[in-house]
Amino acid sequence: MNFDAPTVKQQGVRFGPLGERWVHLCVDMQRLFGEATEWRTPWLARVLPQAARLVAVAPERTVFTRFVPPPSASRVGGSWRRYYRRWASMTLERLDPALVGLMPELEAFVPPARVVDKSVYSPWIGTGLAPDLAARGVDTIVVSGTETEVCVLATVLGAVDLGLRTLVASDAVCSSADATHEAMLSIYHSRFGMQVETATVDEIVEAAR
């Protein structure tokens, strides 16, 4: 597998500047995906500096999500139980809890950046994130993080359903599978063009000024 971040044609920022009511959701940029675990995403390290650039623009506008596994498969139900039987090494009874933490380069931004923990792919379920952003008048989110076609996807589709303007930082998202990463970005272009913008970090930073 090629672990160089693939290149996909960008849409760019198509609907104008970000305005004053935007938030950056940095999805699951954690040690359990960046270090030597069964869930390691090999080129997370390549996009980490880009994600950090986005955070640095306005740390107070950043929300880091963290995917927190259960203690064991027996503590969850439904298909999640089957999932964690397969990934038993990633349950908290076997995993070093410190690996749930953010990558050190990002941890330094907290506070003023905030952290929201979640137990499923989506940050919109069981976290209070949606009503919190609504109470703050947020109408736009910028998304970075891992993995493009799993937790990032769940974040993006939930934001679309909420009617939020949604920008995916295409050079600040990553996956452990190049083909599906590229396919997901292409799907945003071909099927969600009126609701999802994909743009580079440079373009998003410029639109935030």
Side-chain angles (χ1 to χ4, degrees):
M1 181 180 291
N2 172 23
F3 292 138
D4 291 331
T7 300
V8 177
K9 183 179 180 181
Q10 310 306 324
Q11 290 179 311
V13 178
R14 297 184 297 119
F15 301 130
L18 300 192
E20 296 298 325
R21 297 188 293 169
W22 63 275
V23 161
H24 171 206
L25 295 186
C26 187
V27 178
D28 302 359
M29 295 290 273
Q30 299 164 251
R31 292 175 57 193
L32 58 84
F33 298 110
E35 299 185 14
T37 73
E38 285 197 87
W39 285 354
R40 179 174 177 263
T41 302
W43 45 275
L44 183 149
R46 294 179 181 270
V47 303
L48 181 58
Q50 294 291 78
R53 280 186 61 210
L54 276 178
V55 177
V57 169
E60 71 282 0
R61 294 181 182 267
T62 298
V63 178
F64 293 111
T65 69
R66 300 192 312 178
F67 186 78
V68 182
S72 67
S74 65
R75 297 287 292 273
V76 292
S79 61
W80 284 108
R81 180 167 294 182
R82 179 171 62 248
Y83 179 86
Y84 281 110
R85 284 173 177 162
R86 163 63 182 87
W87 298 108
S89 68
M90 301 305 296
T91 57
L92 293 182
E93 67 181 8
R94 300 193 189 183
L95 186 72
D96 178 357
L99 293 174
V100 172
L102 299 174
M103 295 295 288
E105 296 88 338
L106 302 177
E107 188 76 57
F109 289 104
V110 181
R114 300 168 49 219
V115 175
V116 170
D117 288 342
K118 59 193 178 73
S119 59
V120 295
Y121 298 146
S122 173
W124 309 109
I125 296 175
T127 64
L129 179 61
D132 176 68
L133 295 186
R136 295 163 58 188
V138 171
D139 61 10
T140 299
I141 65 164
V142 174
V143 182
S144 65
T146 188
E147 292 196 34
T148 310
E149 67 280 53
V150 187
C151 291
V152 169
L153 172 62
T155 302
V156 169
L157 292 184
V160 168
D161 284 343
L162 290 168
L164 296 168
R165 180 185 178 187
T166 304
L167 297 94
V168 177
S170 56
D171 53 350
V173 293
C174 63
S175 172
S176 55
D178 290 1
T180 47
H181 166 90
E182 295 186 43
M184 195 66 250
L185 291 180
S186 295
I187 288 169
Y188 291 144
H189 302 169
S190 63
R191 302 301 302 273
F192 295 98
M194 291 297 98
Q195 294 166 306
V196 178
E197 297 156 85
T198 59
T200 65
V201 169
D202 283 344
E203 291 169 323
I204 293 170
V205 169
E206 181 63 28
R209 290 175 177 167

